[in-house]
Each structure stands twice: as structure tokens, then as C-alpha cells.
Amino acid sequence: MNVNDIVAAKIAAARARAEETKRRRAALNAARQRGLAHRHAQKLRNLSARTTDGTATPTDGAANDTTEENS
């Protein structure tokens, strides 16, 4: 094994690490985008459940509360 083989092996290992880092970052970014989309959709659902004066509409869950206090 000569020096050129050792250098080539180190270069290949560095390329493999760089590719793995790219794949990991892409996966994390995709998960982040899904989370952001989910949060945005939830925010829009929450906003649509409110009236123009800022009070909650009856469909926000309070109307479905079946505790003794509300009976």
C-alpha cells in the first residue's frame, strides 16, 4: 500500500461523510418543513374558529364540554 492509496482512501471517506451529512440535513429539513406546514395549518384552523371581534365561536370545543359545571 503506497501513499497514493492511503490518500485516495481518506478522500473517499471524506466524500462519504460529506454525502451522509447532506442526506441527514435534507431529512431534517424535510421534517422541519412538514412541521412548519402543520403549525401553519393549525394556526389557520384556530384563526378560522374565531369571530371578527376576537371571541371564540361555539365550535372551539367549549360547546362540547360535558362537565358537571356546564350542565
Side-chain angles (χ1 to χ4, degrees):
M1 195 175 217
N2 65 22
V3 174
N4 289 336
D5 293 337
I6 294 170
V7 170
K10 286 186 179 185
I11 290 171
R15 283 188 181 139
R17 283 192 307 271
E19 286 298 317
E20 178 57 33
T21 300
K22 283 182 186 179
R23 282 192 294 273
R24 189 176 68 245
R25 286 183 179 176
L28 290 173
N29 190 41
R32 180 179 174 272
Q33 291 301 319
R34 285 191 304 274
L36 288 174
H38 178 74
R39 283 180 24 210
H40 182 68
Q42 184 62 43
K43 180 179 179 181
L44 292 177
R45 283 191 293 273
N46 289 340
L47 286 173
S48 70
R50 301 259 172 207
T51 60
T52 56
D53 62 356
T55 59
T57 59
T59 60
D60 70 350
N64 297 330
D65 196 359
T66 57
T67 59
E68 292 290 325
E69 298 158 334
N70 292 338
S71 299

